[in-house]
Amino acid sequence: MSDPRTTRRPGSKAGSTTVRRTLRTAVRRIVRFAVSLAALLVAAFAMIHLIPGDPVRASLGPAAPIELIEARTAALGLDRPLPEQFVTYVGHVLTGDFGTSFLTGEAVGDVIAARLPNTLTLALLATAVALIVAVPLGMWAAVRTENGRNRGTDLAFGTVTGTAVAVPEFLYSIALVAALAVGLGWFPPAGKAGPLTYVLPVAALSAGPIAMIARITRVETLRELGTDYVRLARAKRLPAARLHLRHVLPNTLTATLTVGGLLLTSLIAGSVLVEYVFAWPGLGLKIVESITQKDYPVAQAVILVYGAIVLVVNLVVDLVLGALDPTSEIKEVSA
C-alpha cells in the first residue's frame, strides 16, 4: 500500500508547472521593466548634455555675465566628469531630488508633486469615461450587426469610429473650445476652477480611445457570439440581456481591459497638448513651459516622470494580463 503522504494528487504536477511558468514570466517582465527604466535614466541624463551649446548659457541668456554662468555650472555639477555626474544624478533621482529650476530656484520635486495629481486625474477620468462609454457601444454594435444584419449601422459605426481614432487630441481640444466654450458658452474655456472645467479636457482626451475601444469590443463580442456556448444558450432560450451581460461581456473584457491599460499610458502622454490648450495646471503644461523657457532641469525631470509612469503602467498591464489570460504566458515562453 502506498503512503498517502507521498501520493501525488491528480493535476498537481500540471498546477505546479503553471505556477512556475507564471513566476518565470513575471520575473522576465520585471527584469524587462528594470532594463527599460535604466535606459530611461540614461536618456534623461543625456538630454541636458545633448543640447547644442551650453545649456546654462542658453537658459540664462547671452547677456549673462561669465561669473554667473560659471557659478551656476559648478552648482549643477556640470563641470565634473560625465561618469561622476551620472552617478550623482542617479543617486539624487533615487532619493527624489530632481534639482532646482533654472528660472525660479524652486525644487523640481515640489513642482512635480504639485502638478502630477492634476495630470493623473485627467488621464484616469478619461480612461474611465472611455471604458464606460465604449464597452456598451461596442457590444451594442456587435449585437446589431451580427451575421451581417443592419449594414447601415455597420457602415456608420465603422466610419465614425475610424474617423474618431484618426483625429489627434489637440484638434478635439480646439474644436471643443471653439464650439462649447466660446460659441455656446456652456463650459469654461481654460483653467481648473471647478467640476465644469474637467468636462472639455476629459472629452478631448477620451474621444479617440472611446472609438478605439468600441471597435475592439465589437470584434471581441462578435467572436463570442459565434461560439458554441452562445448557440447552446440561445437554444435554451436564455434571455438576451442575461446572455450578453453575464456570459458574453466577461469573455470580452480581457482584450478590452488590456487596451484600456495601454491607452492610459497614451492618455498621459497625450495630455501634454490638451493641457496646453486648456491651460490645465498639470505636468503637460509645465513641460511645454520649461522647454520654451529653456528650464532644462524641470524638462528633464518631467520627461523622466512621464517615462516612468508609462513603464509602470505597461508592467501592471502585462502582469494583470498574465493573471487573467494564462495562454499569454505560454505564448511568451514559446516565443
Side-chain angles (χ1 to χ4, degrees):
M1 180 179 293
S2 61
D3 188 345
R5 292 174 299 178
T6 61
T7 301
R8 195 183 296 268
R9 292 183 178 180
S12 61
K13 183 176 181 180
S16 61
T17 301
T18 301
V19 171
R20 287 197 300 270
R21 184 184 294 122
T22 301
L23 290 176
R24 285 200 302 269
T25 304
V27 169
R28 185 183 299 110
R29 288 167 175 166
I30 292 172
V31 170
R32 186 189 305 162
F33 165 78
V35 172
S36 300
L37 188 60
L40 176 64
L41 275 171
V42 173
F45 170 77
M47 170 188 164
I48 201 168
H49 297 279
L50 295 176
I51 299 169
D54 186 349
V56 177
R57 179 179 290 278
S59 65
L60 296 177
I66 189 65
E67 295 81 6
L68 177 60
I69 294 174
E70 291 177 350
R72 181 66 63 85
T73 301
L76 294 172
L78 297 178
D79 56 343
R80 290 177 289 175
L82 280 179
E84 183 180 345
Q85 289 185 46
F86 180 70
V87 172
T88 303
Y89 172 73
V90 173
H92 286 168
V93 168
L94 293 179
T95 59
D97 180 7
F98 296 98
T100 58
S101 168
F102 277 174
L103 299 179
T104 66
E106 185 180 4
V108 177
D110 294 341
V111 175
I112 293 174
R115 290 177 173 259
L116 179 59
N118 295 331
T119 295
L120 291 180
T121 299
L122 272 190
L124 291 172
L125 284 175
T127 302
V129 169
L131 291 173
I132 291 171
V133 174
V135 172
L137 178 62
M139 291 193 68
W140 172 83
V143 173
R144 287 273 299 172
T145 60
E146 185 184 4
N147 297 324
R149 295 184 292 112
N150 297 309
R151 294 186 179 276
T153 301
D154 189 8
L155 178 62
F157 178 84
T159 302
V160 172
T161 56
T163 303
V165 169
V167 177
E169 291 91 348
F170 77 91
L171 286 183
Y172 282 120
S173 302
I174 295 172
L176 289 171
V177 169
L180 302 182
V182 178
L184 298 175
W186 290 353
F187 301 100
K192 179 191 174 189
L196 286 180
T197 56
Y198 285 85
V199 175
L200 295 186
V202 170
L205 274 176
S206 61
I210 286 173
M212 181 179 294
I213 295 175
R215 291 170 69 91
I216 293 172
T217 303
R218 176 179 176 269
V219 171
E220 291 294 312
T221 302
L222 286 174
R223 181 178 61 81
E224 289 298 320
L225 291 175
T227 56
D228 292 336
Y229 81 87
V230 171
R231 297 191 188 97
L232 179 61
R234 285 173 171 169
K236 293 182 176 181
R237 299 185 181 276
L238 192 70
R242 182 179 178 186
L243 171 64
H244 296 151
L245 296 178
R246 294 189 59 182
H247 300 283
V248 175
L249 177 61
N251 290 321
T252 66
L253 286 182
T254 298
T256 302
L257 292 178
T258 301
V259 174
L262 296 176
L263 281 175
L264 176 58
T265 64
S266 68
L267 288 176
I268 293 172
S271 67
V272 173
L273 292 178
V274 172
E275 289 184 10
Y276 183 72
V277 171
F278 290 101
W280 188 261
L283 286 183
L285 178 61
K286 191 60 181 179
I287 193 174
V288 174
E289 293 175 347
S290 62
I291 291 174
T292 56
Q293 296 169 354
K294 299 180 181 178
D295 196 354
Y296 297 117
V298 176
Q300 184 183 40
V302 173
I303 289 173
L304 179 62
V305 170
Y306 265 110
I309 292 173
V310 170
L311 291 178
V312 169
V313 172
N314 285 337
L315 174 64
V316 172
V317 169
D318 281 345
L319 295 176
V320 171
L321 178 60
L324 294 177
D325 184 12
T327 59
S328 65
E329 300 164 2
I330 298 174
K331 292 175 184 177
E332 181 168 337
V333 170
S334 61

